[in-house]
């Protein structure tokens, strides 16, 4: 049995609640979703058929809507699987791809779900630790590959950094897949929150059986609690993912699938409204951080801000949540071993109401000005 420590996304919010702190540590909204999504949910609730099991692979109309909004038009019947959030899609993909003794590369800083999922599937985590958060991992991939390497897990746009992968990083991943048959699993949960056209794994790697795209509506629709996500892969790999999925959740909540299908198909502009609101508030908060001496800038995906606090970030975060009433995360928690070049960096989640950010900004100003 694989034992893991308590998640930082459980511990820190609990600590924030205990001390009455503004929770900018966790990427969860403190407001509801767009009105169009709520209307779709009400309509779904009045559909008698929406309260029973759906096909394990997902509602056909939702798979069609996902395919409509996905690069390269995957086949909704054979290449799209609806899951209980992107987290389940990630787990199902890794269990489909890894056997005990296989290795999976994870590029750090990395979201905490990746390593435990790999270990649960029997794989060994091989980290690449980016020491310069503005740098590229393209030239680091080949050196860590062995004959046991089966998977690379990446995240674009990248939590916690907020940036999309660069063209040279995608090119290096595509070369690795083509030359060595390694499957690239790309978590693209934040894909619709970047300006312009998102370029992801389906664009970068043409071979359908050598890439898996994982995504969800959690961030783009401001519904982190709905747990509606999906995996997109080639037909043969999709069969393997579905074989795992059917014994995990069988199918996500059916009324929520109906509501998401409606909005993805007919009201997709609400995603732009969510993204615009995030960017506006992130820009405002970045300016306030700069005013109190914390160097930061708004990344392509405005969900998070990374700021330099000028001292040991773990101690700074501990003091801020207990004494000053603002919770954030040191960037070091996204690494599996110490990296001295990120010791002073902190991640703020800015997916909050304007009033929430104003309270956080005021508390920080009182302490730091």
């Amino acid at each position: 049995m694989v034992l893991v420590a308590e998640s930082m996304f459980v511990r820190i919010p609990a600590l924030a609640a205990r001390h009455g702190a503004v929770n900018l540590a966790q990427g969860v909204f403190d407001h509801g979703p767009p009105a169009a999504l709520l209307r779709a949910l009400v309509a779904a609730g009045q559909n008698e058929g929406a309260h029973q099991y759906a096909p394990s692979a997902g509602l056909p109309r939702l798979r069609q809507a996902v395919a409509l909004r996905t690069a390269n038009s995957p086949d909704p019947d054979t290449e799209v699987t609806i899951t209980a959030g992107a987290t389940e899609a990630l787990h199902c993909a890794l269990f489909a791809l890894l056997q005990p003794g296989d290795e999976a590369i994870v590029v750090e800083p990395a979201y905490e779900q990746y390593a435990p999922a790999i270990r649960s599937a029997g794989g060994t985590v091989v980290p690449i630790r980016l020491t310069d958060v503005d740098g590229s991992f393209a030239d680091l991939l080949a050196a860590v590959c062995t004959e046991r390497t089966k998977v690379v897990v990446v995240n674009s746009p990248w939590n916690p950094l907020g940036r999309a992968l660069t063209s040279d990083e995608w090119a290096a991943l595509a070369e690795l897949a083509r030359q060595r048959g390694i499957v690239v699993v790309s978590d693209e949960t934040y894909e619709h929150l970047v300006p312009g056209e998102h370029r992801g794994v389906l664009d970068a790697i043409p071979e359908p059986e050598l890439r898996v795209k994982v995504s969800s509506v959690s961030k783009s629709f401001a519904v982190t609690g709905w747990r509606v996500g999906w995996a997109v892969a080639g037909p043969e790999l999709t069969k393997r993912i579905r074989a795992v999925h059917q014994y995990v959740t069988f199918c996500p909540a059916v009324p929520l699938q109906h509501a998401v299908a409606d909005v993805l198909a007919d009201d997709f502009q609400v995603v732009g409204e969510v993204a615009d609101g995030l960017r506006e508030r992130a820009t405002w908060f970045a300016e306030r951080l700069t005013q109190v001496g914390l160097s930061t800038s708004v990344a392509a995906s405005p969900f998070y801000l990374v700021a330099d606090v000028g001292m040991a970030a773990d101690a700074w975060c501990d003091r801020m949540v207990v004494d000053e009433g603002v919770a954030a995360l040191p960037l070091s928690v996204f690494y599996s071993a110490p990296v001295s070049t990120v010791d002073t960096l902190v991640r703020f989640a800015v997916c909050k109401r304007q009033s929430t950010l104003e309270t956080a900004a005021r508390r920080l100003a009182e302490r730091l000005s």
Side-chain angles (χ1 to χ4, degrees), residues 137-138 141 152 154 165-184 199-207 210-211:
F137 63 78
L141 284 168
V152 181
V154 294
L165 298 193
T166 62
S167 57
D168 69 317
E169 288 167 335
W170 280 126
L173 289 165
E175 179 73 9
L176 207 65
R178 182 170 55 253
Q179 294 293 330
R180 297 177 180 252
I182 293 171
V183 179
V184 178
R199 182 169 186 259
V201 70
L202 303 187
D203 304 292
I205 299 176
E207 299 87 354
L210 292 179
R211 78 290 195 269

Side-chain angles (χ1 to χ4, degrees), residues 166-242:
T166 62
S167 57
D168 69 317
E169 288 167 335
W170 280 126
L173 289 165
E175 179 73 9
L176 207 65
R178 182 170 55 253
Q179 294 293 330
R180 297 177 180 252
I182 293 171
V183 179
V184 178
V185 177
S186 180
D187 177 356
E188 301 181 16
T189 302
Y190 302 88
E191 61 179 316
H192 297 301
L193 301 180
V194 295
E197 189 170 339
H198 168 71
R199 182 169 186 259
V201 70
L202 303 187
D203 304 292
I205 299 176
E207 299 87 354
E209 302 298 332
L210 292 179
R211 78 290 195 269
V212 181
K213 173 182 174 176
V214 168
S215 192
S216 79
V217 297
S218 291
K219 304 305 195 294
S220 54
F221 283 3
V223 284
T224 59
W226 279 34
R227 315 312 299 140
V228 177
W230 50 85
V232 180
E236 293 305 312
L237 185 46
T238 292
K239 289 178 183 177
R240 294 158 62 187
I241 291 171
R242 290 179 178 180

Side-chain angles (χ1 to χ4, degrees), residues 278-303:
L278 278 169
R279 182 161 297 279
E280 180 180 340
R281 295 190 297 276
T283 300
W284 181 90
F285 194 66
E287 291 172 353
R288 298 308 177 277
L289 291 180
T290 301
Q291 288 172 4
V292 297
L294 303 184
S295 175
T296 188
S297 61
V298 179
S301 174
F303 211 84

